[in-house]
Amino acid sequence: VLQVVCQAGKEPSLPVGGKIEDVACDADPAQSYALYLPSTYTATKRWPIIYFFDPGGRGRRPLELYKDIAEKYGFVLAGSNNSRNFSADESKSVNAIWQDTHQRLVLDGHLTYASGFSGGARVAGVMALSCLQCQIAGVIAHGAGYPTNWGEAKDKLLYFFAVGDQDFNWSEVMMVRRQRQQKGLPYRVRVFSGPHQWAPAAVMEDAVEWLVLRAMRSGDRPLDTAFIDQMLSKM
């Protein structure tokens, strides 16, 4: 189980809204992450956030791909620069990015999501499964299914899978799809044209829209009838 310990101290500085910036964690400068704040970010309201995990520790990569979506829908994005495949202490990277973003930012505890590509998708799943304090509401997995230690405890977790039609993990994602369908669990699967990779921005936007709709349904976001009508028309 990932245990997150928040430490009191001086209030860390904020990066400029509308730009991707690398941030060194205040409690552990060896840990860092790329951060994107919407240009409208203000500390007078709570913001949804998506944590990203790239298998090569390239925290900027998903933010570069999806920052326009974050700007459009008002999401904070944070991508770990330390989490990577075969790293010795994955929990340390998850703890560091969680702790530092919560020291710097005003975040909505009901609208917290994790996303990753390939091995990073499994880290996102582990974060949702093991970090009790994180209260992850949903996972967006690119090019992979569940983490290896997946169990029944988080079956009601929202799960969006994005996978290329040439991805070597395609069959794994389809197997998870059947499992969730048979159990009546909430999920979406989008197959796009391409190999093993981060999903195109259009697919990620579908994921964000689905999570926004589900949050409205649960009461964690206020109803937006114009948005709902737009999504109905799109479908």
Side-chain angles (χ1 to χ4, degrees), residues 213-233:
L213 283 172
R214 297 292 304 207
M216 289 180 186
R217 181 178 178 179
S218 67
D220 290 325
R221 292 182 74 118
L223 288 177
D224 182 338
T225 55
F227 177 79
I228 294 170
D229 289 344
Q230 180 186 351
M231 293 302 100
L232 182 60
S233 176

Side-chain angles (χ1 to χ4, degrees), residues 139-217:
V139 175
I140 306 171
H142 303 248
Y146 292 148
T148 53
N149 63 338
W150 187 260
E152 300 288 329
K154 289 284 187 178
D155 258 355
K156 296 187 183 300
L157 185 74
L158 300 176
Y159 235 109
F160 187 104
F161 299 92
V163 64
D165 57 6
Q166 302 167 46
D167 194 316
F168 51 76
N169 281 334
W170 182 88
S171 59
E172 175 192 346
V173 174
M174 294 303 108
M175 180 182 67
V176 172
R177 176 182 187 172
R178 287 194 296 272
Q179 291 174 353
R180 294 190 75 85
Q181 188 174 39
Q182 290 169 0
K183 293 181 179 181
L185 302 175
Y187 78 95
R188 286 289 185 275
V189 174
R190 276 292 308 274
V191 179
F192 57 88
S193 178
H196 190 59
Q197 63 180 55
W198 284 101
V203 175
M204 185 65 179
E205 186 167 9
D206 283 349
V208 170
E209 289 171 346
W210 182 63
L211 293 174
V212 169
L213 283 172
R214 297 292 304 207
M216 289 180 186
R217 181 178 178 179

Side-chain angles (χ1 to χ4, degrees), residues 38-235:
S39 60
T40 54
Y41 180 85
T42 171
T44 60
K45 59 172 282 190
R46 295 188 178 277
W47 294 78
I49 185 170
I50 305 175
Y51 292 99
F52 287 94
F53 302 96
D54 181 85
R58 299 170 298 177
R60 279 180 170 259
R61 179 57 177 155
L63 275 60
E64 290 168 348
L65 289 170
Y66 308 134
K67 63 182 178 62
D68 291 344
I69 300 170
E71 186 69 23
K72 180 177 180 180
Y73 296 98
F75 275 73
V76 173
L77 306 182
S80 173
N81 292 325
N82 296 85
S83 174
R84 53 176 51 87
N85 285 357
F86 313 116
S87 60
D89 190 356
E90 203 66 69
S91 63
K92 187 175 182 179
S93 301
V94 173
N95 287 342
I97 193 172
W98 171 265
Q99 176 182 321
D100 200 76
T101 50
H102 279 75
Q103 283 184 315
R104 293 176 190 272
L105 307 171
V106 181
L107 301 173
D108 192 322
H110 297 288
L111 302 175
T112 302
Y113 307 96
S115 182
F117 162 54
S118 191
R122 303 189 198 284
V123 175
V126 169
M127 185 180 191
L129 178 69
S130 301
C131 182
L132 302 181
Q133 299 95 326
C134 298
Q135 297 182 320
I136 303 299
V139 175
I140 306 171
H142 303 248
Y146 292 148
T148 53
N149 63 338
W150 187 260
E152 300 288 329
K154 289 284 187 178
D155 258 355
K156 296 187 183 300
L157 185 74
L158 300 176
Y159 235 109
F160 187 104
F161 299 92
V163 64
D165 57 6
Q166 302 167 46
D167 194 316
F168 51 76
N169 281 334
W170 182 88
S171 59
E172 175 192 346
V173 174
M174 294 303 108
M175 180 182 67
V176 172
R177 176 182 187 172
R178 287 194 296 272
Q179 291 174 353
R180 294 190 75 85
Q181 188 174 39
Q182 290 169 0
K183 293 181 179 181
L185 302 175
Y187 78 95
R188 286 289 185 275
V189 174
R190 276 292 308 274
V191 179
F192 57 88
S193 178
H196 190 59
Q197 63 180 55
W198 284 101
V203 175
M204 185 65 179
E205 186 167 9
D206 283 349
V208 170
E209 289 171 346
W210 182 63
L211 293 174
V212 169
L213 283 172
R214 297 292 304 207
M216 289 180 186
R217 181 178 178 179
S218 67
D220 290 325
R221 292 182 74 118
L223 288 177
D224 182 338
T225 55
F227 177 79
I228 294 170
D229 289 344
Q230 180 186 351
M231 293 302 100
L232 182 60
S233 176
K234 182 178 179 179
M235 286 189 289

